[in-house]
Structures are given as structure tokens and as C-alpha cells.
Amino acid sequence: MAYIVVTTRAPFSHERSSGKETVRFSTGGVSTSLRMIVGREGGTWVCWGDGSNDRAYPEEIKDNVRIVRVFIGSRERRGFYEGYSNSTLWPLFHYFRDRLKFSRKNFLTYRKVNQDFLEAIKKVYRPGDTVWIHDYQLALLPGLVRKEFPDAGIIFTWHIPWVTGEFFSMLPESEEILRSICSSSFVTFHTGLYVRNFFDSMDQILGSHDSMKGRAFSIPLGIDYAYYQKKSEGIHKSPFAGDQKAIFSVDRMDYTKGLTERANAIETLLETHPELIGKFVYYMAVSPSRTNVKEYQTFKRDLEMSIGRINGRFSSVSWVPIVYMNKKLSDNLLIAFYRFSQVALITPLFDGLNLVSKEFIASSRDGVLIISKFAGSASQLNGAIKVNPNSRLELAESIHSALNMGAEERRVRLEMMKKEVSRHDSAWWSRRIRDLARKISFPEGGRVVEQH
Ligand code: F6P
């Protein structure tokens, strides 16, 4: 069984500036982990060619993978990517009612781009292939592929949260999207809660979820644990300058990540525990993301104002509480940060899973993880301090406890999480999905058959 993996984000793109060609690797968790999995398993990867020099590489073979690029014009990009994907579906599925934009025009462009992806699949599909579609940008694609290839094995993996039926039904196109997803052979989410919410959406919109019973699964994506473990063990020098304790976080620049709330919690911590002034540094790495979306521009400005205000209030000649890095860190530096930080502060307001928390666990020597209870990975990481990111005080107190936690407690908690993250790694994830793909097919007539 060969896969045709389909994502919007490419594993990497080709850039050209001042006559120089470079390769840029994507930052999101989905393409980063799939890059390793598809590289291991082989197959074809259909993705968006959004690099400035990608048109020179419509197809290429790289490390065992055939990459096929779909090109989207700049007007379509606005309706599809900045518009429906990231100004409608993204805020909807993270419960951001106030940021939601409804636009029929954007939806029609979204449908058109999903059709463009179908055209690319049609060129490479061979009977027997399994089409593995990923995430909210391509939610209409399972339905389109099913129509074209009634016998195809189609897997749909949803990487962000799935909201309650009531919230989802606010979307004018909720039924079309739901019906498309339900035409997959099976669907995977990252937590049981998202599966339950998906069923709830079916109950509310389609009247029942019976047709998806036994075809919707919670299979949380894992990381390449061995890679992080080996790489981190090879790093012997701390990247931090002073002898203060290091708190670290790394995220995409996104309003769902709880970045301003975190900065504010640092302020509360310094107000309520002034003895900590000068005793720690919070290293906040934030990689640029969706920079053409207005909401993201405003969010970045507001975050930077908060950081500036807090640093202005507490800094001295020899100390700054928040070191803010608005860039993508190199892999080596990132893993060094993971390895030598005393505390990782991963507190999104909502997050489908959050692979950073797992990368930290795999790389850390003796760190403490503080995780939002609204991150999908929190349900797997029982050794972490779980927090409600909406409470400044709770967040501040959790940082205080983490900084003061004894060595033995740190060790026990970390060991427990290392076991969990290494057991359920990316190889486990892809194996589970491959096993299901072998068992569940969707033959002619659209009847689901479990093959034993
Ligand atoms: O993990 C969720 C996700 O939305 C991916 O689907 C996406 O590729 C990634 O985050 C980064 O976002 P973007 O593709 O918009 O840069």
C-alpha cells in the first residue's frame, strides 16, 4: 500500500532572493513530523508550492519521497489561506468567536483550491494507493477524492481541536465540510475529546453519528523521540549566559498560543515574588507565522508592547526578565534550549496537540514542564504541572513551584513523561494508522468494510 500524503504546508520550499537559491524548511508541527515519517515510509507528497522559486520545482524526488507541488495564484491565496483557512476555520476551531470572519467568497475560493489539490492527486493516483489528507485547510478534499475514486482508501487526519457541535454549527458551510470528512475511510484526531465533539457535531448537523462509529479514532501524533534524545545528549554546552534559572518557550506567532498571557504572568510573578527579581530569565522564542493576516499583525504588535512594558518595568543594568526572539531557531539551538532550561512554559489557550511539549520532554535533562490543560498533549503528559492559562495568578504560581521543585520530584515526573513520549512516538503513530488503513477500506458503493 503506497501513500499519497496531502498537506498544504510543504516539507520544504525553494526560495530565491538576490539571485541566490536557498531551501526553507517549514515551521509547523505537522509538516516537520510528517517530513520524518514520509521520509521513512516513502510515497508521494502533494503540497502547496508557495516558495518564491518553487515553480522551478513542480516535481522532485527527495529522500525517498516524490514531491508534487500545487500552485495557487496570489488572489486565490488570500481567499484560501489568509481568508477561509486562517480567518474562519482557524479561529472557529480554537473557540475564538470574536476573531471569526464569515465570507462566502472566501469559501468558494477555498473550495476551488481544494479542487486544485484533487487535480494534482488525479495525476499521481494509482489503484491501491491510500490518499492521506491532513488538516483544516483541506477539509473538502476527502469528499472530492471520494467522488473521483469511489474505491480509494482515504485517511483524513485532523491536527487542530474539534469544537462542540453547537460552536461548529455556527459555520454556514458546516454541513458540506462534515459530509466531506465523513466520506473518508476513517478519520483520526489527537484526543478523545475531539472525537466526542466530532460525533456531537454529526448528531447536531446530520442527526446521527452512527455512520462514523468505528471510523473515527483518537491517535495522538508523536515525535521522533530517538532523534531528540540522541541530539540533545550530544550537546554539552548550555546556550545560556548567566547563572540564572532559564524558563523557555517556543511557538509560532499566533493568538491561540497564550503568549501575552504568559508575559503577563511573568509580571504577576515578579510582583508577588519580588525575591525572584534577577534570579531567572524567560527566553521566549516566537517564529513568524501568517504575517499577511491582519489579526496576526495586530497580535504581534500587542504582544511586543506587553513584553516591552514588563521589561521596562523590571529590567536593570545587568538583568532583563524576558528575552524575546522573533525568529525561527536553528535545530541545534532549539534542542540546546530544551536540554538546559529548568522550566518549559507551554501554555496555549487552545492547541490541537503541541509537539513542542514532547520535544522538550525527550531532550530535557531535569526540567519541569508547565502545560496548559487546553493543549491536546496535556492528556498524555501527567508528570507536567497543568494550568489554566487564563489565570495570571495560577500561571505565576505554577512558575514559582516549578522554579522551586526539588530534584527528586523533577526526576520522577520527567521519567514518567519520557516513558510515555518514547512509547507513543512518531513511529508508533504511523504504525497505528497504517494498521487501520489495512483493516478499513471503503469499496465500491460506499459501504465500509472492516477486513480481518
Ligand atoms: O498544527 C496545525 C497547523 O495549522 C498546520 O496545519 C500548519 O501547517 C501549521 O500549524 C503552521 O501553520 P501554517 O501552515 O499556516 O504556517
Side-chain angles (χ1 to χ4, degrees):
M1 180 190 73
Y3 278 136
I4 300 175
V5 171
V6 195
T7 62
T8 44
R9 233 350 114 207
F12 60 89
S13 45
H14 296 276
E15 305 293 338
R16 191 183 185 90
S17 84
S18 332
K20 221 179 127 219
E21 284 196 21
T22 49
V23 164
R24 174 174 53 87
F25 286 91
S26 305
T27 42
V30 174
S31 61
T32 313
S33 42
L34 285 178
R35 196 162 62 223
M36 294 186 184
I37 291 166
V38 184
R40 211 161 43 215
E41 304 212 356
T44 302
W45 190 332
V46 176
C47 51
W48 177 21
D50 76 325
S52 53
N53 198 31
D54 272 347
R55 283 184 194 266
Y57 299 87
E59 258 205 67
E60 65 184 307
I61 301 210
K62 183 95 192 161
D63 301 334
N64 208 18
V65 182
R66 176 181 174 198
I67 296 171
V68 177
R69 293 192 167 88
V70 176
F71 298 104
I72 304 173
S74 58
R75 184 129 37 87
E76 281 185 340
R77 176 196 160 109
R78 276 198 293 281
F80 163 72
Y81 179 72
E82 277 93 12
Y84 201 73
S85 297
N86 290 317
S87 301
T88 303
L89 296 181
W90 182 265
L92 178 86
F93 281 103
H94 292 83
Y95 290 105
F96 279 84
R97 173 69 186 89
D98 293 351
R99 293 182 190 259
L100 252 174
K101 291 198 177 58
F102 295 111
S103 155
R104 186 68 189 165
K105 198 167 148 229
N106 284 349
F107 175 71
L108 294 177
T109 310
Y110 176 88
R111 192 198 269 152
K112 156 78 176 55
V113 171
N114 274 244
Q115 269 154 354
D116 293 345
F117 273 82
L118 172 70
E119 292 309 314
I121 293 168
K122 275 161 68 178
K123 288 191 192 126
V124 295
Y125 180 81
R126 300 276 167 278
D129 285 350
T130 293
V131 186
W132 188 3
I133 304 164
H134 294 263
D135 232 357
Y136 64 102
Q137 303 95 336
L138 299 172
L140 293 179
L141 197 52
L144 296 170
V145 175
R146 173 63 64 219
K147 228 176 169 177
E148 191 65 37
F149 302 112
D151 297 342
I154 304 173
I155 309 171
F156 189 61
T157 292
W158 189 261
H159 291 278
I160 60 176
W162 191 284
V163 290
T164 63
E166 189 182 24
F167 205 81
F168 176 57
S169 54
M170 265 197 299
L171 186 70
E173 298 81 20
S174 54
E175 183 171 343
E176 186 173 339
I177 286 185
L178 209 49
R179 287 198 189 280
S180 164
I181 294 175
C182 291
S183 60
S184 313
S185 309
F186 66 92
V187 187
T188 79
F189 296 89
H190 293 318
T191 72
L193 174 67
Y194 306 155
V195 177
R196 289 197 294 281
N197 285 343
F198 180 72
F199 284 161
D200 181 43
S201 302
M202 288 185 72
D203 289 343
Q204 296 219 14
I205 294 162
L206 308 177
S208 156
H209 68 269
D210 282 356
S211 64
M212 284 307 285
K213 272 192 191 153
R215 293 200 293 127
F217 304 93
S218 160
I219 311 176
L221 174 58
I223 58 159
D224 187 339
Y225 185 88
Y227 168 82
Y228 284 95
Q229 187 187 34
K230 190 157 170 251
K231 206 138 182 177
S232 64
E233 282 173 2
I235 302 176
H236 302 290
K237 199 171 160 341
S238 165
F240 306 118
D243 55 3
Q244 291 104 344
K245 291 191 170 170
I247 303 172
F248 177 59
S249 68
V250 56
D251 300 87
R252 281 186 307 102
M253 178 68 78
D254 198 302
Y255 53 80
T256 60
K257 301 290 182 184
L259 296 165
T260 312
E261 288 76 3
R262 253 180 254 172
N264 290 340
I266 294 289
E267 183 174 31
T268 302
L269 177 69
L270 293 170
E271 280 166 359
T272 51
H273 295 281
E275 74 280 4
L276 288 179
I277 291 176
K279 296 288 187 305
F280 71 86
V281 176
Y282 173 28
Y283 296 88
M284 180 193 254
V286 191
S287 57
S289 179
R290 303 175 190 166
T291 48
N292 292 330
V293 181
K294 205 169 149 268
E295 296 278 315
Y296 284 70
Q297 295 164 357
T298 318
F299 171 74
K300 176 173 183 282
R301 198 199 52 213
D302 291 349
L303 171 68
E304 290 176 350
M305 273 167 44
S306 300
I307 294 170
R309 180 177 51 74
I310 297 159
N311 276 344
R313 190 174 158 199
F314 291 100
S315 293
S316 63
V317 176
S318 54
W319 183 69
V320 179
I322 305 176
V323 171
Y324 165 66
M325 296 163 282
N326 182 208
K327 56 183 64 138
K328 179 174 163 29
L329 302 181
S330 71
D331 237 29
N332 282 342
L333 186 56
L334 176 65
I335 297 175
F337 275 123
Y338 286 149
R339 183 138 187 91
F340 290 96
S341 300
Q342 270 78 31
V343 179
L345 193 54
I346 317 288
T347 56
L349 303 179
F350 283 103
D351 207 340
L353 186 71
N354 196 293
L355 292 172
V356 164
S357 54
K358 297 187 176 188
E359 292 169 6
F360 169 72
I361 294 301
S363 314
S364 176
R365 292 177 314 171
D366 62 353
V368 180
L369 173 64
I370 300 177
I371 188 127
S372 158
K373 60 183 180 184
F374 301 112
S377 61
S379 55
Q380 290 178 278
L381 301 172
N382 287 328
I385 302 182
K386 296 187 189 177
V387 292
N388 179 347
N390 301 299
S391 164
R392 266 172 100 140
L393 205 59
E394 186 178 331
L395 218 50
E397 278 312 305
S398 71
I399 301 169
H400 183 256
S401 317
L403 289 171
N404 289 303
M405 194 181 281
E408 180 56 12
E409 184 174 352
R410 287 203 309 267
R411 191 191 63 75
V412 171
R413 285 172 177 260
L414 190 60
E415 275 314 304
M416 182 177 21
M417 292 189 283
K418 277 185 186 279
K419 252 189 214 145
E420 168 62 29
V421 177
S422 66
R423 189 175 304 145
H424 297 123
D425 64 355
S426 59
W428 166 85
W429 184 72
S430 49
R431 222 172 26 244
R432 279 242 26 214
I433 292 178
R434 186 173 276 277
D435 287 350
L436 284 169
R438 287 205 187 97
K439 271 175 59 181
I440 302 176
S441 68
F442 207 118
E444 224 170 339
R447 198 168 50 84
V448 181
V449 169
E450 274 237 29
Q451 294 163 344
H452 296 284

